[in-house]
Amino acid sequence: MAFSIWGRIGLLALGLVLLASVGLGADSDLSFEEIRPGIWAALQPEPLRFNDSNSVVLVSETDVVVIDSQANPATSRELLDRIAKATDKPVRYLVNTHFHSDHTRSNFVYRDRFPKIEIVGHRTLAEDVPARAAPDLDGELALYRSEISAGEERRAKGVDRQGEALDEAGRTTLAGQIEAARETLAGLEAIRWVAPSLDLTDRLTLHRSLGPIEIRPVHAHTRGDLIVYLPRARVLVTGDVLDDLPFGGHGYIGDWVSVLTELETLDWDLFIPGHGRIRRAAEARAHLATVRSLFELMLSVARQAKASGQDLEAARATFLASEALVPLRSTLAGDDPLGARVFDDFVPAGFERAFLEVTGRLPD
Ligand SMILES: [Zn+2]
Protein backbone atom coordinates (compact mmCIF):
# COMPACT_ATOMS: atom_id res chain seq x y z
CA MET A 1 0.00 0.00 0.00
CA ALA A 2 1.44 3.34 -0.99
CA PHE A 3 1.02 6.21 1.40
CA SER A 4 1.89 9.82 0.86
CA ILE A 5 4.45 11.24 3.26
CA TRP A 6 1.57 12.99 4.97
CA GLY A 7 -0.05 9.60 5.26
CA ARG A 8 3.05 8.00 6.73
CA ILE A 9 3.36 10.67 9.39
CA GLY A 10 -0.36 10.43 10.01
CA LEU A 11 -0.18 6.68 10.38
CA LEU A 12 2.80 6.90 12.70
CA ALA A 13 0.78 9.17 14.90
CA LEU A 14 -2.24 6.95 14.48
CA GLY A 15 -0.30 3.88 15.57
CA LEU A 16 0.53 5.70 18.78
CA VAL A 17 -3.10 6.69 19.19
CA LEU A 18 -4.10 3.07 18.75
CA LEU A 19 -1.58 1.82 21.28
CA ALA A 20 -2.69 4.41 23.77
CA SER A 21 -6.21 3.04 23.27
CA VAL A 22 -7.61 6.45 22.50
CA GLY A 23 -10.28 6.14 19.85
CA LEU A 24 -12.13 8.70 17.80
CA GLY A 25 -13.63 10.07 20.95
CA ALA A 26 -14.11 13.73 21.79
CA ASP A 27 -10.85 15.62 21.69
CA SER A 28 -10.97 17.38 25.02
CA ASP A 29 -7.42 18.65 24.52
CA LEU A 30 -8.59 21.01 21.79
CA SER A 31 -8.28 24.57 23.07
CA PHE A 32 -10.90 27.10 22.02
CA GLU A 33 -10.10 30.71 22.68
CA GLU A 34 -11.22 34.11 21.41
CA ILE A 35 -7.96 35.73 20.35
CA ARG A 36 -9.42 38.92 18.84
CA PRO A 37 -13.07 40.07 18.99
CA GLY A 38 -15.06 37.53 16.97
CA ILE A 39 -11.97 35.47 16.06
CA TRP A 40 -11.62 32.15 17.84
CA ALA A 41 -8.75 29.71 17.49
CA ALA A 42 -9.31 25.98 18.08
CA LEU A 43 -5.77 24.70 18.50
CA GLN A 44 -4.55 21.14 18.71
CA PRO A 45 -2.21 20.54 21.63
CA GLU A 46 0.51 18.81 19.59
CA PRO A 47 1.84 21.12 16.88
CA LEU A 48 3.70 18.31 15.12
CA ARG A 49 0.81 15.87 14.91
CA PHE A 50 -0.63 15.56 11.43
CA ASN A 51 -3.70 13.42 11.98
CA ASP A 52 -5.57 16.52 13.13
CA SER A 53 -5.18 20.25 12.66
CA ASN A 54 -6.12 23.67 13.98
CA SER A 55 -9.47 25.25 13.06
CA VAL A 56 -10.42 28.92 13.14
CA VAL A 57 -13.89 30.25 13.88
CA LEU A 58 -15.05 33.71 12.77
CA VAL A 59 -18.18 34.89 14.56
CA SER A 60 -20.08 37.88 13.16
CA GLU A 61 -23.48 39.48 13.75
CA THR A 62 -25.17 37.31 11.15
CA ASP A 63 -23.33 34.01 10.97
CA VAL A 64 -20.21 31.97 11.60
CA VAL A 65 -17.37 31.00 9.27
CA VAL A 66 -15.19 28.00 10.21
CA ILE A 67 -11.81 27.39 8.59
CA ASP A 68 -10.84 23.69 8.26
CA SER A 69 -12.99 20.77 9.29
CA GLN A 70 -10.52 18.44 11.09
CA ALA A 71 -9.84 14.75 10.39
CA ASN A 72 -11.68 13.43 13.41
CA PRO A 73 -15.48 13.79 13.19
CA ALA A 74 -15.81 13.71 17.00
CA THR A 75 -13.50 16.73 17.23
CA SER A 76 -15.66 18.60 14.72
CA ARG A 77 -18.80 17.75 16.68
CA GLU A 78 -17.17 18.93 19.86
CA LEU A 79 -16.04 22.16 18.20
CA LEU A 80 -19.57 22.76 16.89
CA ASP A 81 -20.90 22.29 20.44
CA ARG A 82 -18.40 24.82 21.72
CA ILE A 83 -19.34 27.28 18.96
CA ALA A 84 -23.00 26.87 19.93
CA LYS A 85 -22.10 27.88 23.48
CA ALA A 86 -20.27 30.99 22.24
CA THR A 87 -22.92 32.20 19.76
CA ASP A 88 -26.46 31.43 18.61
CA LYS A 89 -25.55 32.25 14.98
CA PRO A 90 -25.47 29.40 12.45
CA VAL A 91 -22.29 28.21 10.75
CA ARG A 92 -22.91 29.38 7.21
CA TYR A 93 -19.47 28.83 5.64
CA LEU A 94 -16.82 26.18 6.07
CA VAL A 95 -13.52 26.87 4.32
CA ASN A 96 -11.17 24.02 3.39
CA THR A 97 -7.67 25.50 3.13
CA HIS A 98 -6.51 22.57 0.94
CA PHE A 99 -7.21 18.94 0.10
CA HIS A 100 -5.30 17.12 2.88
CA SER A 101 -7.48 14.85 5.03
CA ASP A 102 -6.79 16.66 8.27
CA HIS A 103 -8.45 19.76 6.81
CA THR A 104 -11.35 18.23 4.85
CA ARG A 105 -12.36 14.86 6.21
CA SER A 106 -15.08 16.04 8.60
CA ASN A 107 -16.91 18.24 6.08
CA PHE A 108 -19.83 15.82 6.37
CA VAL A 109 -20.26 16.68 10.08
CA TYR A 110 -20.84 20.33 9.15
CA ARG A 111 -23.23 19.44 6.33
CA ASP A 112 -25.19 17.16 8.67
CA ARG A 113 -25.48 19.85 11.37
CA PHE A 114 -26.06 22.78 8.94
CA PRO A 115 -27.65 21.45 5.73
CA LYS A 116 -27.53 24.91 4.08
CA ILE A 117 -23.84 25.48 4.79
CA GLU A 118 -21.61 26.57 1.91
CA ILE A 119 -18.35 24.63 1.87
CA VAL A 120 -15.65 26.73 0.22
CA GLY A 121 -12.64 25.07 -1.36
CA HIS A 122 -10.25 25.50 -4.23
CA ARG A 123 -11.62 24.05 -7.47
CA THR A 124 -8.91 21.34 -7.44
CA LEU A 125 -10.40 19.74 -4.30
CA ALA A 126 -13.14 18.03 -6.31
CA GLU A 127 -10.42 15.98 -7.96
CA ASP A 128 -7.71 15.92 -5.29
CA VAL A 129 -9.69 14.75 -2.27
CA PRO A 130 -11.05 11.58 -3.91
CA ALA A 131 -7.79 10.85 -5.74
CA ARG A 132 -5.21 11.84 -3.13
CA ALA A 133 -6.77 12.12 0.35
CA ALA A 134 -9.17 9.17 0.17
CA PRO A 135 -6.33 6.59 -0.07
CA ASP A 136 -5.12 7.79 3.35
CA LEU A 137 -8.48 6.84 4.81
CA ASP A 138 -8.34 3.45 3.07
CA GLY A 139 -4.91 2.94 4.63
CA GLU A 140 -6.20 3.81 8.09
CA LEU A 141 -9.19 1.49 7.71
CA ALA A 142 -6.85 -1.33 6.70
CA LEU A 143 -4.51 -0.56 9.60
CA TYR A 144 -7.30 -0.61 12.18
CA ARG A 145 -8.79 -3.81 10.77
CA SER A 146 -5.46 -5.58 10.90
CA GLU A 147 -4.64 -4.23 14.38
CA ILE A 148 -8.02 -5.42 15.64
CA SER A 149 -7.63 -8.90 14.20
CA ALA A 150 -4.07 -9.15 15.55
CA GLY A 151 -5.36 -7.97 18.94
CA GLU A 152 -8.14 -10.56 18.88
CA GLU A 153 -5.59 -13.25 18.09
CA ARG A 154 -3.43 -12.18 21.05
CA ARG A 155 -6.49 -12.11 23.29
CA ALA A 156 -7.45 -15.65 22.27
CA LYS A 157 -3.91 -16.85 23.03
CA GLY A 158 -3.62 -14.68 26.16
CA VAL A 159 -0.28 -13.18 25.04
CA ASP A 160 1.19 -9.72 24.46
CA ARG A 161 2.91 -8.43 21.29
CA GLN A 162 6.12 -10.23 22.29
CA GLY A 163 4.29 -13.52 22.83
CA GLU A 164 4.62 -13.33 26.63
CA ALA A 165 1.65 -14.51 28.71
CA LEU A 166 -0.68 -11.70 29.81
CA ASP A 167 -1.70 -11.30 33.43
CA GLU A 168 -5.17 -10.17 34.48
CA ALA A 169 -4.32 -6.43 34.15
CA GLY A 170 -2.72 -7.01 30.74
CA ARG A 171 -5.82 -8.86 29.51
CA THR A 172 -8.03 -5.99 30.66
CA THR A 173 -5.80 -3.42 28.93
CA LEU A 174 -5.81 -5.43 25.71
CA ALA A 175 -9.60 -5.79 25.79
CA GLY A 176 -9.91 -2.02 26.28
CA GLN A 177 -7.56 -1.34 23.37
CA ILE A 178 -9.53 -3.63 21.09
CA GLU A 179 -12.78 -1.98 22.14
CA ALA A 180 -11.35 1.51 21.52
CA ALA A 181 -9.98 0.44 18.14
CA ARG A 182 -13.40 -0.95 17.18
CA GLU A 183 -15.02 2.35 18.08
CA THR A 184 -12.41 4.20 16.04
CA LEU A 185 -12.97 1.87 13.10
CA ALA A 186 -16.73 2.43 13.26
CA GLY A 187 -16.09 6.20 13.27
CA LEU A 188 -13.78 5.92 10.26
CA GLU A 189 -16.28 3.75 8.40
CA ALA A 190 -18.96 6.44 8.86
CA ILE A 191 -16.87 9.12 7.10
CA ARG A 192 -18.16 10.26 3.73
CA TRP A 193 -16.60 12.89 1.49
CA VAL A 194 -18.64 16.06 1.06
CA ALA A 195 -17.16 18.21 -1.70
CA PRO A 196 -17.11 22.02 -1.60
CA SER A 197 -20.26 23.70 -2.85
CA LEU A 198 -18.31 26.85 -3.74
CA ASP A 199 -15.30 26.08 -5.96
CA LEU A 200 -12.86 28.96 -5.94
CA THR A 201 -10.24 29.96 -8.43
CA ASP A 202 -10.51 33.69 -7.65
CA ARG A 203 -10.63 35.64 -4.44
CA LEU A 204 -13.89 35.63 -2.47
CA THR A 205 -14.56 38.38 0.07
CA LEU A 206 -17.29 38.05 2.69
CA HIS A 207 -18.29 41.34 4.32
CA ARG A 208 -19.07 40.84 7.98
CA SER A 209 -19.22 42.81 11.21
CA LEU A 210 -15.61 41.87 11.98
CA GLY A 211 -14.60 43.38 8.64
CA PRO A 212 -13.86 41.83 5.26
CA ILE A 213 -12.96 38.14 5.24
CA GLU A 214 -10.73 37.65 2.19
CA ILE A 215 -10.40 34.08 0.97
CA ARG A 216 -7.42 34.05 -1.39
CA PRO A 217 -6.43 31.11 -3.62
CA VAL A 218 -2.70 30.47 -3.85
CA HIS A 219 -0.39 27.84 -5.37
CA ALA A 220 2.11 26.83 -2.67
CA HIS A 221 1.71 23.92 -0.19
CA THR A 222 -0.57 22.21 -2.75
CA ARG A 223 -1.86 23.17 -6.17
CA GLY A 224 -4.97 24.65 -4.58
CA ASP A 225 -4.54 26.38 -1.21
CA LEU A 226 -6.77 29.03 0.34
CA ILE A 227 -5.36 31.69 2.66
CA VAL A 228 -7.79 33.74 4.76
CA TYR A 229 -6.89 37.35 5.46
CA LEU A 230 -8.76 39.63 7.88
CA PRO A 231 -7.37 43.10 7.18
CA ARG A 232 -9.37 44.96 9.82
CA ALA A 233 -8.35 42.53 12.59
CA ARG A 234 -4.84 42.25 11.05
CA VAL A 235 -5.01 38.45 11.20
CA LEU A 236 -3.86 35.85 8.70
CA VAL A 237 -5.05 32.23 8.64
CA THR A 238 -2.44 30.35 6.66
CA GLY A 239 -3.56 26.73 6.44
CA ASP A 240 -0.40 24.71 5.80
CA VAL A 241 1.23 27.42 3.68
CA LEU A 242 2.90 28.62 6.88
CA ASP A 243 3.08 26.02 9.68
CA ASP A 244 5.56 25.42 12.48
CA LEU A 245 7.15 22.99 10.02
CA PRO A 246 5.62 23.12 6.55
CA PHE A 247 5.41 19.88 4.56
CA GLY A 248 6.85 20.53 1.10
CA GLY A 249 6.19 17.14 -0.49
CA HIS A 250 3.10 18.25 -2.40
CA GLY A 251 4.36 21.80 -2.88
CA TYR A 252 5.35 24.20 -5.62
CA ILE A 253 8.46 25.64 -4.04
CA GLY A 254 9.08 28.54 -6.46
CA ASP A 255 5.49 29.78 -6.22
CA TRP A 256 5.53 29.12 -2.47
CA VAL A 257 8.42 31.58 -2.07
CA SER A 258 6.42 34.16 -4.06
CA VAL A 259 3.33 33.58 -1.92
CA LEU A 260 5.31 34.03 1.31
CA THR A 261 6.86 37.20 -0.12
CA GLU A 262 3.38 38.50 -0.93
CA LEU A 263 2.07 37.61 2.53
CA GLU A 264 4.91 39.63 3.98
CA THR A 265 3.57 42.77 2.26
CA LEU A 266 0.11 42.43 3.87
CA ASP A 267 -0.78 44.29 7.04
CA TRP A 268 -1.13 41.66 9.79
CA ASP A 269 0.44 41.16 13.18
CA LEU A 270 -0.73 37.64 14.01
CA PHE A 271 -1.12 34.41 12.10
CA ILE A 272 -2.83 31.13 12.89
CA PRO A 273 -1.27 28.13 11.11
CA GLY A 274 -2.87 24.83 10.15
CA HIS A 275 -0.44 23.08 12.54
CA GLY A 276 1.37 24.79 15.34
CA ARG A 277 1.00 27.77 17.56
CA ILE A 278 -0.20 31.28 16.96
CA ARG A 279 2.66 33.63 16.28
CA ARG A 280 2.57 37.38 16.72
CA ALA A 281 4.41 40.51 15.68
CA ALA A 282 8.17 40.27 14.99
CA GLU A 283 8.37 36.57 15.89
CA ALA A 284 5.70 35.79 13.29
CA ARG A 285 7.52 37.75 10.60
CA ALA A 286 10.82 36.09 11.54
CA HIS A 287 9.25 32.63 11.26
CA LEU A 288 7.89 33.47 7.82
CA ALA A 289 11.37 34.62 6.77
CA THR A 290 12.97 31.39 8.07
CA VAL A 291 10.52 29.21 6.16
CA ARG A 292 11.07 31.25 3.01
CA SER A 293 14.87 30.92 3.44
CA LEU A 294 14.49 27.15 3.65
CA PHE A 295 12.59 27.08 0.35
CA GLU A 296 15.03 29.51 -1.28
CA LEU A 297 17.90 27.23 -0.23
CA MET A 298 16.12 24.26 -1.82
CA LEU A 299 15.74 26.17 -5.08
CA SER A 300 19.29 27.46 -5.15
CA VAL A 301 20.85 24.04 -4.44
CA ALA A 302 18.52 22.48 -7.02
CA ARG A 303 19.60 25.04 -9.66
CA GLN A 304 23.31 24.45 -8.94
CA ALA A 305 22.76 20.70 -9.08
CA LYS A 306 21.03 21.02 -12.43
CA ALA A 307 23.88 23.17 -13.78
CA SER A 308 26.45 20.58 -12.69
CA GLY A 309 24.40 17.70 -14.10
CA GLN A 310 23.63 15.98 -10.78
CA ASP A 311 20.73 13.57 -10.58
CA LEU A 312 18.10 13.83 -7.85
CA GLU A 313 19.91 11.55 -5.43
CA ALA A 314 23.20 13.45 -5.68
CA ALA A 315 21.40 16.78 -5.53
CA ARG A 316 19.51 15.76 -2.41
CA ALA A 317 22.73 14.62 -0.74
CA THR A 318 24.31 18.00 -1.58
CA PHE A 319 21.31 19.81 -0.16
CA LEU A 320 21.21 17.78 3.06
CA ALA A 321 24.94 18.37 3.58
CA SER A 322 24.77 22.11 2.94
CA GLU A 323 26.05 24.34 5.74
CA ALA A 324 23.15 26.75 5.31
CA LEU A 325 20.66 24.04 6.30
CA VAL A 326 22.10 23.68 9.82
CA PRO A 327 20.79 26.94 11.35
CA LEU A 328 17.43 26.51 9.56
CA ARG A 329 17.07 23.03 11.04
CA SER A 330 17.92 24.22 14.52
CA THR A 331 15.51 27.18 14.30
CA LEU A 332 12.62 25.12 12.90
CA ALA A 333 13.10 21.78 14.68
CA GLY A 334 14.69 23.09 17.89
CA ASP A 335 15.73 20.49 20.48
CA ASP A 336 12.59 18.46 20.01
CA PRO A 337 13.33 14.89 18.75
CA LEU A 338 9.90 14.75 17.08
CA GLY A 339 10.61 18.11 15.46
CA ALA A 340 13.90 16.75 14.14
CA ARG A 341 12.20 13.60 12.81
CA VAL A 342 9.48 15.60 11.09
CA PHE A 343 12.04 18.06 9.67
CA ASP A 344 14.16 15.18 8.33
CA ASP A 345 11.08 13.63 6.70
CA PHE A 346 9.45 16.78 5.35
CA VAL A 347 12.48 18.69 4.09
CA PRO A 348 13.95 16.08 1.67
CA ALA A 349 10.43 15.67 0.26
CA GLY A 350 10.29 19.43 -0.32
CA PHE A 351 13.74 19.42 -1.92
CA GLU A 352 12.65 16.71 -4.35
CA ARG A 353 9.79 18.97 -5.46
CA ALA A 354 12.21 21.89 -5.89
CA PHE A 355 14.55 19.72 -7.98
CA LEU A 356 11.72 18.44 -10.18
CA GLU A 357 10.50 22.00 -10.62
CA VAL A 358 13.91 23.36 -11.56
CA THR A 359 14.49 20.50 -14.00
CA GLY A 360 11.04 20.98 -15.56
CA ARG A 361 9.64 17.64 -14.44
CA LEU A 362 7.15 18.67 -11.78
CA PRO A 363 3.76 17.06 -12.37
CA ASP A 364 0.77 19.40 -12.26
ZN1 LIG B 1 -1.48 20.06 4.48
Side-chain angles (χ1 to χ4, degrees), residues 18 143-161 166 170-183 185:
L18 189 63
L143 177 81
Y144 273 94
R145 287 179 185 131
S146 82
E147 283 285 323
I148 290 166
S149 74
E152 288 292 10
E153 217 167 285
R154 290 199 301 277
R155 177 151 73 175
K157 291 184 186 156
V159 295
D160 65 14
R161 280 179 195 269
L166 283 167
R171 281 198 295 274
T172 306
T173 304
L174 178 59
Q177 286 174 335
I178 292 169
E179 186 55 34
R182 283 194 189 288
E183 264 176 48
L185 179 62

Side-chain angles (χ1 to χ4, degrees), residues 98 100 103 221 240:
H98 60 291
H100 288 157
H103 304 262
H221 170 65
D240 288 355

Side-chain angles (χ1 to χ4, degrees), residues 292-348:
R292 189 178 51 198
S293 299
L294 174 65
F295 293 146
E296 284 169 341
L297 179 66
M298 289 176 184
L299 289 170
S300 97
V301 173
R303 284 192 198 106
Q304 285 162 21
K306 183 192 173 197
S308 60
Q310 287 184 336
D311 64 7
L312 170 62
E313 210 175 317
R316 186 162 40 209
T318 306
F319 170 71
L320 293 175
S322 68
E323 283 289 316
L325 191 59
V326 177
L328 295 169
R329 188 176 188 272
S330 84
T331 303
L332 291 170
D335 306 329
D336 176 11
L338 177 60
R341 200 177 81 193
V342 172
F343 186 93
D344 293 342
D345 204 359
F346 282 16
V347 166

